[in-house]
Amino acid sequence: MAAMHSQFADDFSGKTMISVRDLRVRYGEREILHGVNFEVKHGETMVIMGGSGSGKSTLLRALVGLEKPSAGEIWLKGKDIATISQEELDDIRKQIGMSFQGGALFGSMSVRDNVALPLREHTELEESTIEIMIRLKLQHVGLTGYEEYMPSQLSGGMKKRAAVARALAMDPEILFFDEPSAGLDPIIAAGIDTLILDLKRAFRMTVIVVTHELASAFLIADRMILIDKGNIVATGTKEEMKANQHPRVRQFLDRVPEPEVAQELDYLQMLTEDVRVS
């Protein structure tokens, strides 16, 4: 086992940024993730797809150290975050950024203070330097001039961009997105997708995106994972995923409802037609 750990550590100094091995997460008697395995390369955008209850959000929480695995390994930059100390985990977190679903901005703080928060908490930078960094991050996400706005004054898309600016504050090597397009109209969602692509090109970061939005996934991904009921059923490039004939892959990509859902819809349609006839 020690030799294997050394091998993974060596991998991280080269091409691999994240390596997940036999990851299991259990809530009480219920196991959510059933031995998940995958790797993410340096500079790669990996999209994790799955329906509601598939386990993708649990996987994301485990990757950023918010969920303790029941078993398995999560290697980030040569350290298994499933076994390291809290102090070591805090150091790793300073090198990753997280953009939460809905933005998760602090409503009582301005955009400026939201973006500045990680810098003020985790660095000893002068306030003048922090101010410069705030301006740069907001410029990157297209929010120049909105420093004094409160989250309640921002549109949904602007809140997402402000959250990205905060995630970028510490110049992370790995950037995580949780449902970045959720709740946005198609035009605003396309803008967020373009922002993710631009950030990747500008900073050469490793990007992990959890989403169920197919249009976004196929636009931004280098590779994709489909997780279903706690298991990874397919991994590959966009082209490989489109060609995959696994039944669950086809059901997800072709948007085919579960049989019981289809039956319920047929029943509702029949009732509606009966009402119209009567």
Side-chain angles (χ1 to χ4, degrees):
M1 181 62 72
M4 183 171 66
H5 284 184
S6 176
Q7 175 66 47
F8 287 143
D10 290 340
D11 286 347
F12 281 106
S13 64
K15 295 181 178 180
T16 304
M17 282 296 280
I18 302 172
S19 185
V20 176
R21 290 288 178 264
D22 196 28
L23 176 63
R24 297 176 182 272
V25 175
R26 181 184 298 274
Y27 297 148
E29 295 299 314
R30 184 186 177 198
E31 188 173 78
I32 307 299
L33 298 178
H34 313 300
V36 169
N37 295 273
F38 66 93
E39 291 186 348
V40 183
K41 304 297 184 182
H42 173 72
E44 182 177 43
T45 297
M46 176 69 83
V47 171
I48 301 172
M49 301 185 299
S52 299
S54 61
K56 63 183 188 297
S57 294
T58 299
L59 175 56
L60 178 63
R61 288 175 58 82
L63 290 175
V64 298
L66 295 176
E67 198 71 61
K68 190 71 174 177
S70 307
E73 303 169 345
I74 306 172
W75 288 84
L76 268 67
K77 301 193 69 207
K79 292 186 177 181
D80 180 7
I81 66 169
T83 59
I84 59 177
S85 68
Q86 186 62 49
E87 183 178 359
E88 290 176 301
L89 179 58
D90 289 340
D91 287 338
I92 289 286
R93 282 177 174 161
K94 293 175 185 178
Q95 301 173 58
I96 65 177
M98 175 74 190
S99 179
F100 293 93
Q101 183 176 353
L105 299 173
F106 291 97
S108 61
M109 300 169 62
S110 67
V111 169
R112 167 185 277 108
D113 289 335
N114 266 283
V115 178
L117 185 61
L119 296 167
R120 290 172 177 159
E121 285 196 348
H122 301 300
T123 75
E124 297 180 359
L125 294 171
E126 296 286 340
E127 195 64 26
S128 58
T129 303
I130 291 177
E131 182 64 27
I132 292 171
M133 296 183 72
I134 292 169
R135 290 178 182 175
L136 287 173
K137 304 312 178 188
L138 290 177
Q139 182 180 6
H140 286 314
V141 301
L143 286 181
T144 299
Y146 289 89
E147 291 86 353
E148 302 305 326
Y149 279 59
M150 303 300 286
S152 61
Q153 297 174 294
L154 303 179
S155 67
M158 293 168 72
K159 288 178 183 177
K160 296 268 189 177
R161 288 175 177 270
V164 174
R166 185 177 61 187
L168 291 171
M170 297 283 288
D171 294 322
E173 296 183 50
I174 307 173
L175 190 57
F176 293 89
F177 289 90
D178 184 14
E179 299 285 4
S181 302
L184 302 178
D185 68 53
I187 295 174
I188 301 300
I192 297 296
D193 294 339
T194 301
L195 173 61
I196 294 173
L197 291 171
D198 289 344
L199 291 174
K200 180 190 171 184
R201 283 192 290 264
F203 298 105
R204 298 188 60 80
M205 289 182 296
T206 303
V207 180
I208 311 296
V209 181
V210 168
T211 186
H212 66 274
E213 301 283 351
L214 292 179
S216 295
F218 278 96
L219 178 64
I220 63 179
D222 292 317
R223 285 194 303 135
M224 315 172 86
I225 288 171
L226 179 62
I227 186 169
D228 179 62
K229 298 178 181 177
N231 295 290
I232 291 179
V233 296
T235 304
T237 64
K238 291 178 278 191
E239 293 74 19
E240 289 170 339
M241 197 66 75
K242 287 178 181 178
N244 194 306
Q245 296 303 307
H246 188 287
R248 294 300 283 180
V249 175
R250 296 272 39 100
Q251 182 181 26
F252 188 80
L253 297 187
D254 298 336
R255 303 181 68 185
V256 177
E258 295 286 358
E260 59 268 25
V261 174
Q263 290 171 7
E264 290 175 6
L265 291 174
D266 289 342
Y267 178 66
L268 290 172
Q269 183 177 4
M270 179 187 69
L271 291 179
T272 303
E273 290 173 349
D274 287 345
V275 169
R276 288 175 181 171
V277 171
S278 61

Short mmCIF file of all heavy atoms in Angstrom, two decimals, residues 23 79 84 106 172 216 219 228 238 264:
data_model
loop_
_atom_site.label_atom_id
_atom_site.label_comp_id
_atom_site.label_asym_id
_atom_site.label_seq_id
_atom_site.Cartn_x
_atom_site.Cartn_y
_atom_site.Cartn_z
N LEU A 23 -13.65 5.12 -3.80
CA LEU A 23 -14.27 6.06 -2.86
C LEU A 23 -15.67 5.60 -2.49
O LEU A 23 -16.51 5.36 -3.36
CB LEU A 23 -14.32 7.46 -3.48
CG LEU A 23 -15.03 8.53 -2.65
CD1 LEU A 23 -14.29 8.76 -1.33
CD2 LEU A 23 -15.15 9.82 -3.44
N LYS A 79 -1.56 14.42 -1.88
CA LYS A 79 -1.98 14.11 -0.52
C LYS A 79 -3.38 13.50 -0.55
O LYS A 79 -4.26 13.96 -1.27
CB LYS A 79 -1.98 15.37 0.35
CG LYS A 79 -0.58 15.92 0.61
CD LYS A 79 -0.62 17.07 1.60
CE LYS A 79 0.79 17.56 1.91
NZ LYS A 79 0.77 18.67 2.91
N ILE A 84 -5.52 12.93 5.78
CA ILE A 84 -4.63 13.95 6.32
C ILE A 84 -5.27 14.67 7.50
O ILE A 84 -6.48 14.59 7.72
CB ILE A 84 -4.21 14.97 5.24
CG1 ILE A 84 -5.45 15.67 4.65
CG2 ILE A 84 -3.41 14.29 4.15
CD1 ILE A 84 -5.10 16.74 3.63
N PHE A 106 -22.50 36.07 0.97
CA PHE A 106 -22.99 36.56 2.26
C PHE A 106 -23.83 37.81 2.00
O PHE A 106 -23.34 38.84 1.53
CB PHE A 106 -21.83 36.87 3.19
CG PHE A 106 -21.10 35.65 3.66
CD1 PHE A 106 -19.94 35.23 3.03
CD2 PHE A 106 -21.59 34.90 4.73
CE1 PHE A 106 -19.27 34.09 3.46
CE2 PHE A 106 -20.93 33.76 5.15
CZ PHE A 106 -19.77 33.35 4.51
N PRO A 172 -6.48 29.84 -7.11
CA PRO A 172 -6.45 28.38 -6.93
C PRO A 172 -5.90 27.65 -8.13
O PRO A 172 -5.98 28.12 -9.26
CB PRO A 172 -7.93 28.05 -6.72
CG PRO A 172 -8.66 29.10 -7.50
CD PRO A 172 -7.85 30.34 -7.30
N SER A 216 -24.53 22.75 -21.37
CA SER A 216 -23.34 23.29 -20.71
C SER A 216 -22.23 22.24 -20.66
O SER A 216 -21.07 22.53 -20.95
CB SER A 216 -23.68 23.76 -19.29
OG SER A 216 -24.56 24.84 -19.32
N LEU A 219 -20.43 21.71 -23.88
CA LEU A 219 -19.68 22.88 -24.33
C LEU A 219 -18.34 22.99 -23.62
O LEU A 219 -17.32 23.27 -24.24
CB LEU A 219 -20.50 24.15 -24.10
CG LEU A 219 -19.81 25.47 -24.49
CD1 LEU A 219 -19.54 25.52 -25.99
CD2 LEU A 219 -20.65 26.66 -24.05
N ASP A 228 -24.44 7.34 -11.70
CA ASP A 228 -25.83 6.91 -11.55
C ASP A 228 -25.94 6.00 -10.34
O ASP A 228 -25.23 4.99 -10.24
CB ASP A 228 -26.29 6.18 -12.81
CG ASP A 228 -27.73 5.70 -12.71
OD1 ASP A 228 -28.63 6.55 -12.57
OD2 ASP A 228 -27.95 4.47 -12.76
N LYS A 238 -16.22 14.04 -24.91
CA LYS A 238 -17.59 14.33 -25.36
C LYS A 238 -18.00 13.38 -26.49
O LYS A 238 -19.13 12.87 -26.52
CB LYS A 238 -17.68 15.78 -25.83
CG LYS A 238 -17.56 16.78 -24.70
CD LYS A 238 -17.58 18.20 -25.18
CE LYS A 238 -16.24 18.66 -25.68
NZ LYS A 238 -16.19 20.13 -25.92
N GLU A 264 -46.93 7.63 -15.23
CA GLU A 264 -47.65 8.69 -14.54
C GLU A 264 -48.06 9.79 -15.51
O GLU A 264 -49.17 10.32 -15.44
CB GLU A 264 -46.79 9.26 -13.41
CG GLU A 264 -46.60 8.32 -12.24
CD GLU A 264 -45.64 8.88 -11.22
OE1 GLU A 264 -45.22 10.04 -11.38
OE2 GLU A 264 -45.31 8.16 -10.26
#
